[in-house]
Amino acid sequence: MAIILNLETATTNCSVSVSKNNEILCLKENNAADYSHSEQLHLFIKEALQEASLSFSDLDAIAISKGPGSYTGLRIGVSSAKGLCFSLDLPLISIPTLESMAHQTSLKEGEVVIPVLDARRMEVYSCVFDHRYQEIRETRAEIIDENSFEDYSSFSKVHVVGSGAEKCQQVLHAPNFNFDTSVVPSAKEMASLAYHKFLHKDFEDVAYFEPYYLKDFVLQTKKKS
């Protein structure tokens, strides 16, 4: 049996779940546009454990969504997860953000899912998974144009999901493409992925683990008038 605390902060959705093996015991999340993770994350952790009638001493591992995503969100989530692992002497599990997003879409044989997170302008972070949720193309930061994902046009259906789906829909018009902007990274889908890694002792080195930013952080400054 494994009790795992799952933390998802890669986007605007601040999401915390407590799971027992593959079962979600409690889920707390708020998809606010102001990235209030620094205020909400630890409150959600406390509330989730209370609602599950558990304490920190009952935990067997901490799982964190590792990115790609928001630099600030990932930094807050990973720092919190590492701090808990150090203080509680627990193993750290990392879950690729796009992989957990893929599991929100039900797939039939011959279909693929492409989770896409909005980046700047016409850029997205994306990855491609087959109907067994196996990665068939690595995670990339890419500029979307009319030729994007053309390698998958032969599949019966291509599900493009996530915050970047809207900009993809503007330029991709193949009839087998389906777009869903409602999918956001959530700690709910992390549970089964984290449990699988726990069983295989697939843990991170807490001291050296860093988020998967994919791109260097660029500080945005206001233009002088």
Side-chain angles (χ1 to χ4, degrees), residues 35 70-72 119-121 123 125 215-224:
Y35 281 96
S70 156
Y71 180 91
T72 301
R120 296 184 182 89
R121 300 181 180 87
E123 190 172 25
Y125 303 131
K215 291 176 60 180
D216 292 335
F217 176 62
V218 177
L219 180 64
Q220 297 295 304
T221 56
K222 294 183 178 180
K223 293 182 179 179
K224 294 181 180 180

Side-chain angles (χ1 to χ4, degrees), residues 2-9 13-30 40-41 43-52 54 56 59-65 84 95 100 185-195:
I3 304 294
I4 301 176
L5 177 67
N6 306 284
L7 309 179
E8 169 57 74
T9 62
N13 192 32
C14 184
S15 182
V16 174
S17 71
V18 179
S19 57
K20 178 181 178 182
N21 298 344
N22 287 316
E23 177 188 359
I24 295 287
L25 301 180
C26 183
L27 174 67
K28 306 287 292 186
E29 59 184 0
N30 180 24
Q40 291 184 325
L41 181 59
L43 176 61
F44 282 0
I45 292 171
K46 180 180 178 181
E47 291 178 347
L49 288 170
Q50 288 178 342
E51 291 185 23
L54 297 169
F56 284 110
L59 296 175
D60 295 298
I62 308 291
I64 182 67
S65 177
L84 289 170
I95 304 297
S100 67
S186 171
K188 182 178 181 181
E189 283 72 33
M190 291 177 63
S192 60
L193 298 172
Y195 181 54

Side-chain angles (χ1 to χ4, degrees), residues 10-208:
T11 65
T12 54
N13 192 32
C14 184
S15 182
V16 174
S17 71
V18 179
S19 57
K20 178 181 178 182
N21 298 344
N22 287 316
E23 177 188 359
I24 295 287
L25 301 180
C26 183
L27 174 67
K28 306 287 292 186
E29 59 184 0
N30 180 24
N31 189 19
D34 58 357
Y35 281 96
S36 55
H37 301 338
S38 58
E39 292 83 17
Q40 291 184 325
L41 181 59
H42 289 282
L43 176 61
F44 282 0
I45 292 171
K46 180 180 178 181
E47 291 178 347
L49 288 170
Q50 288 178 342
E51 291 185 23
S53 300
L54 297 169
S55 65
F56 284 110
S57 61
D58 295 310
L59 296 175
D60 295 298
I62 308 291
I64 182 67
S65 177
K66 73 175 187 178
S70 156
Y71 180 91
T72 301
L74 289 171
R75 179 173 51 80
I76 291 172
V78 169
S79 295
S80 298
K82 291 174 69 171
L84 289 170
C85 289
F86 273 123
S87 62
L88 300 171
D89 193 24
L90 293 175
L92 176 65
I93 298 169
S94 72
I95 304 297
T97 303
L98 297 177
E99 182 178 0
S100 67
M101 289 176 63
H103 282 262
Q104 294 188 42
T105 302
S106 297
L107 300 174
K108 298 178 181 178
E109 188 172 356
E111 299 181 351
V112 295
V113 59
I114 306 177
V116 286
L117 287 177
D118 192 8
R120 296 184 182 89
R121 300 181 180 87
M122 286 301 290
E123 190 172 25
V124 298
Y125 303 131
S126 68
C127 192
V128 184
F129 299 86
D130 66 16
H131 73 281
R132 297 185 180 89
Y133 303 101
Q134 299 298 309
E135 181 182 305
I136 59 175
R137 202 219 68 191
E138 78 285 358
T139 298
R140 298 176 187 170
E142 57 187 314
I143 304 296
I144 296 299
D145 60 31
E146 63 273 12
N147 299 314
S148 296
F149 311 128
E150 63 180 358
D151 290 345
Y152 311 99
S153 59
S154 61
F155 285 85
S156 59
K157 184 171 286 188
V158 179
H159 300 268
V160 182
V161 303
S163 59
E166 182 176 0
K167 63 177 60 173
C168 292
Q169 190 172 15
Q170 296 173 15
V171 296
L172 303 177
H173 304 296
N176 62 328
F177 276 64
N178 180 66
F179 302 92
D180 184 355
T181 61
S182 67
V183 173
V184 295
S186 171
K188 182 178 181 181
E189 283 72 33
M190 291 177 63
S192 60
L193 298 172
Y195 181 54
H196 177 78
K197 284 198 167 188
F198 182 87
L199 291 178
H200 290 83
K201 299 187 184 301
D202 187 358
F203 303 139
E204 302 291 346
D205 186 320
V206 178
Y208 295 101

